[in-house]
Amino acid sequence: MVQVCSNKACVLLSANTVDIREMPLSAVGKDDVMIKVESTGICGSDLHNYSHGGVGTPITEPLILGHESAGTIVEVGSAVTGFALGDRVAIEPTMYCRKCHNCKTGKTNVCRSFRQASLAPTQGTLAQYYVCDADFAIKIPDAITWQEAGCIQPLAVAVQLAKRAKFAAGQTIAVFGCGPLGCLVMATARAYGVSKILAFDISKKRVDFAKKLWADYAVVSPKAAEGQDYAGWAEQFKADALNAAGVDSWGVDVAIEASGAEPCMHAAMTFTRSGGTYVQAGLGRAVNSFPTFQIVAKELDVVGSVRYTSGCFKVAIDMMAQGKIDLKPMITAVFPLSRSKEALEAVRKGEDLKVVIMNQQV
């Protein structure tokens, strides 16, 4: 049994208030492993937690943030097989029950009673150590750096989206939103053999980044003219973009809305060809206007995509290890655990693409 002398963590106390403090560590049960956490990626949901003092309702007790983590196993429960001290692992932060109908039919991402690291009351992974059921630890090879390992979870989310979108060689896709999710979707699409990728965002910096690494065509989304409705704006946007990109005017095979912005929903739906697929992955307002007529008239497959299912982590890790996806260029800022507040503020500022915290740097 390892003797843990310190377990400093980034703890959310209230909206916009975090503290680096010692936190108790759960006992290692017979089916559990203890992980010395090395890195944690920070995403939009972490920022939401931080900015609002919780998700949905404010927290009532201190909450450890973080859910995109990886580290080294330092203790193994008595009933655990297949893991040894020193194994490098990524942490699956969504703990599904494995008993409900959805879990039994493979839809673990929409488990009826899942728990999520850093979603109150479940403590997160932005700490020096973390204990979890061994089923939620996935081995990673030495070739993947700790900084990259802190990005495996969002890549697994992109892999799930690829499954939902049915990415395939020869397709043309359009991605609306060039933030971390949109970029990971593009990277995954390229690994799946998609032929042409179009990308759009309101940030020129993010558009340029997408074009440099993955997109065949990427531009800043145009603004609507005064008094122009969504339909007219989206049709003109589509005509101009597809012509400039050299894509058939009938549209793309798959459109992915990864921003959560209502105008992008209209644009993505308009860009999708008849019989194509529209994927909603961005999270914005709870209720938005939506061009339902197009769904029927063009007989579109409209799907949502959330979290990941069994096997997505393994696919993500394999693609990284085989060099099919390189996440290093996406990591634009790295902070020690002691500067977690600065890391969260960097995400809020929006100038960095992917922010990673090194958990052992206190």
Side-chain angles (χ1 to χ4, degrees), residues 110-148:
V110 285
C111 167
R112 293 185 63 180
S113 56
F114 76 91
R115 294 180 297 117
Q116 172 83 30
S118 77
L119 184 61
T122 305
Q123 297 293 343
T125 60
L126 192 47
Q128 290 182 289
Y129 292 88
Y130 181 75
V131 174
C132 68
D133 189 306
D135 279 356
F136 303 117
I138 311 297
K139 290 182 183 179
I140 57 177
D142 293 340
I144 296 176
T145 68
W146 285 126
Q147 289 185 15
E148 293 172 279

Side-chain angles (χ1 to χ4, degrees), residues 192-340:
Y192 272 63
V194 164
S195 292
K196 183 166 282 191
I197 299 173
L198 285 62
F200 308 99
D201 200 286
I202 59 174
S203 165
K204 185 177 185 304
K205 183 177 181 180
R206 290 191 167 186
V207 162
D208 290 344
F209 187 88
K211 188 173 183 179
K212 178 181 178 181
L213 291 177
W214 303 291
D216 300 287
Y217 175 81
V219 296
V220 173
S221 302
K223 293 182 178 180
E226 186 175 350
Q228 188 177 30
D229 62 12
Y230 281 144
W233 167 78
E235 287 291 350
Q236 188 61 54
F237 182 5
K238 171 189 175 183
D240 293 344
L242 296 187
N243 180 62
V247 175
D248 192 294
S249 61
W250 77 326
V252 299
D253 298 302
V254 182
I256 298 97
E257 202 299 298
S259 74
E262 186 176 78
C264 288
M265 298 174 192
H266 286 261
M269 188 69 72
T270 301
F271 270 66
T272 309
R273 65 165 174 81
S274 295
T277 299
Y278 171 99
V279 183
Q280 183 63 46
L283 294 173
R285 296 199 309 265
V287 178
N288 296 273
S289 68
F290 203 66
T292 53
F293 180 82
Q294 292 197 55
I295 299 173
V296 178
K298 296 198 291 186
E299 197 175 49
L300 302 180
D301 290 331
V302 178
V303 300
S305 186
V306 66
R307 292 184 286 275
Y308 50 84
T309 51
S310 178
C312 288
F313 264 71
K314 185 66 166 61
V315 172
I317 291 165
D318 285 348
M319 289 194 296
M320 292 170 66
Q322 294 166 12
K324 294 179 179 178
I325 291 180
D326 181 9
L327 298 184
K328 290 190 289 291
M330 282 189 60
I331 303 167
T332 54
V334 180
F335 292 85
L337 179 66
S338 57
R339 294 169 56 197
S340 293

Side-chain angles (χ1 to χ4, degrees), residues 133-203:
D133 189 306
D135 279 356
F136 303 117
I138 311 297
K139 290 182 183 179
I140 57 177
D142 293 340
I144 296 176
T145 68
W146 285 126
Q147 289 185 15
E148 293 172 279
C151 302
I152 291 171
Q153 189 270 351
L155 180 57
V157 172
V159 170
Q160 171 65 14
L161 188 148
K163 290 182 179 181
R164 297 285 285 160
K166 299 180 181 177
F167 283 165
Q171 288 178 330
T172 296
I173 72 168
V175 179
F176 293 82
C178 299
L181 176 59
C183 284
L184 288 168
V185 168
M186 285 183 259
T188 304
R190 191 60 77 196
Y192 272 63
V194 164
S195 292
K196 183 166 282 191
I197 299 173
L198 285 62
F200 308 99
D201 200 286
I202 59 174
S203 165

